[in-house]
Amino acid sequence: MDSTAVNRSPLRQLAGLIKLMRPRQWVKNGFVLAPLVFAGEFLDPSSVSSALLAVALFCLASSATYIINDARDIEDDRRHPTKCRTRPLAAGTVKMPAAMVLLALLYAVLVAAWFVAPAVVAVILVYMVLNLAYSFSLKHQPVLDIFTIAIGFVLRVYAGAVALDVPVSEWMFVTTLCLALYLAAVKRRQEISQSGNEGRKVLGSYSVALVDRYAEMSATGALVFYSMFVMESRPELVMTVPLVLFGLFRYWYVVEALEGGESPTDALLSDWQLLVTVVLWIGACAWSLWPMAVT
């Protein structure tokens, strides 16, 4: 059989389009569920459905931004030692017209969602505008690039709160910001270590020592602010503080010793201890907040 025909088969093209949406990265949208847990609404079917809808919409929005980013960076990705094979547009497994059709479909779904959950879609619109600015400009600006990534996570948490119409503690926002800055700084560190300045132009403005300091400061802030949030708003969650501390330590070990961290999602999914820590943290939160949820 002609190999070209195989490469162009409908199933192959569908697989390429799915990969273009980066479903593995949807794990990040779990941040949308944070207000559902901490507000004690996780036993309310209506709240759960609203939160899951917000997660699904964020998954579509993030996939749309990935498509735009890949289209924008296609030439750079073709020169990258890894992305030339793993990014469908750069590798040629997905053609640009097909990618644009998929992008239009994602936008159409988000427009339709406006009539179902306008407040959530409004937050998502801010997220998408921010990511467009990132793709075309902010990703080349030192420090601003890291903060832009982090603000995206804060918007996820805010979208979850808006979906449920519940207030969110200021401590949670600051904790989320610090944790996201930690992950973004570690990502930049690994990109510098593994690809040098070839992966992104902005990497030439950083050094490993500098982003290490960023990461250490952010990790410390995340731990301190999370502890303050627990002690002030949810003292029953004090048992989760050691889990958060272990997670930060383990993630840094994965980065330093196992050379992970360029993709936080891959680092999480590939390390069983990190996965167990996240599961235990979720379980401890649910168990501790269960009395609130049933009242």
Side-chain angles (χ1 to χ4, degrees):
M1 181 181 293
D2 184 2
S3 60
T4 303
V6 173
N7 290 337
R8 293 179 180 176
S9 68
L11 287 179
R12 181 92 175 192
Q13 293 181 47
L14 178 60
L17 289 172
I18 293 175
K19 188 175 182 180
L20 182 65
M21 294 174 66
R22 301 193 208 175
R24 287 174 64 89
Q25 302 299 325
W26 291 349
V27 173
K28 300 174 183 176
N29 298 319
F31 278 78
V32 176
L33 299 177
L36 179 71
V37 175
F38 291 111
E41 299 283 338
F42 52 86
L43 294 182
D44 181 10
S46 176
S47 296
V48 171
S49 62
S50 297
L52 291 179
L53 175 61
V55 171
L57 294 177
F58 243 102
C59 289
L60 298 181
S62 59
S63 290
T65 61
Y66 290 138
I67 293 173
I68 293 174
N69 191 62
D70 285 359
R72 168 77 175 175
D73 294 343
I74 186 170
E75 294 302 327
D76 290 338
D77 289 346
R78 284 171 176 167
R79 293 189 292 268
H80 192 276
T82 303
K83 294 177 182 179
C84 65
R85 301 187 305 272
T86 59
R87 298 287 170 85
L89 285 175
T93 55
V94 172
K95 301 302 181 184
M96 191 65 73
M100 293 301 102
V101 170
L102 176 59
L103 179 63
L105 288 174
L106 294 176
Y107 280 151
V109 174
L110 291 172
V111 169
W114 175 269
F115 299 97
V116 179
V120 174
V121 175
V123 178
I124 289 175
L125 179 61
V126 175
Y127 167 83
M128 296 180 71
V129 170
L130 181 67
N131 275 273
L132 282 174
Y134 176 81
S135 295
F136 287 89
S137 176
L138 297 180
K139 68 191 301 181
H140 305 302
Q141 304 300 320
V143 182
L144 273 177
D145 65 320
I146 295 177
F147 268 82
T148 302
I149 295 172
I151 291 171
F153 284 89
V154 175
L155 288 173
R156 286 174 170 91
V157 173
Y158 184 59
V162 167
L164 303 179
D165 193 21
V166 297
V168 180
S169 168
E170 292 83 358
W171 295 118
M172 182 182 292
F173 281 127
V174 179
T175 300
T176 302
L177 178 64
C178 287
L179 179 60
L181 286 171
Y182 168 67
L183 296 175
V186 170
K187 177 179 174 65
R188 287 291 184 262
R189 179 195 190 278
Q190 292 308 90
E191 288 174 337
I192 295 170
S193 299
Q194 297 175 10
S195 304
N197 298 338
E198 297 178 4
R200 302 175 188 269
K201 295 178 181 178
V202 74
L203 296 180
S205 302
Y206 292 118
S207 67
V208 171
L210 177 61
V211 292
D212 273 348
R213 288 195 292 272
Y214 287 165
E216 291 167 2
M217 183 186 304
S218 301
T220 301
L223 178 63
V224 169
F225 291 127
Y226 179 76
S227 300
M228 294 177 71
F229 161 69
V230 167
M231 289 185 290
E232 180 183 273
S233 303
R234 294 288 183 267
E236 59 270 34
L237 294 178
V238 68
M239 68 175 67
T240 66
V241 174
L243 291 172
V244 172
L245 183 58
F246 176 83
L248 293 172
F249 272 49
R250 180 65 190 181
Y251 188 77
W252 195 263
Y253 172 79
V254 171
V255 170
E256 187 75 21
L258 305 183
E259 298 184 351
E262 185 168 351
S263 170
T265 302
D266 291 343
L268 172 64
L269 297 178
S270 63
D271 187 78
W272 70 268
Q273 292 192 38
L274 272 177
L275 278 173
V276 170
T277 302
V278 171
V279 171
L280 288 176
W281 178 80
I282 294 173
C285 288
W287 183 79
S288 299
L289 297 174
W290 196 275
M292 179 195 304
V294 297
T295 57

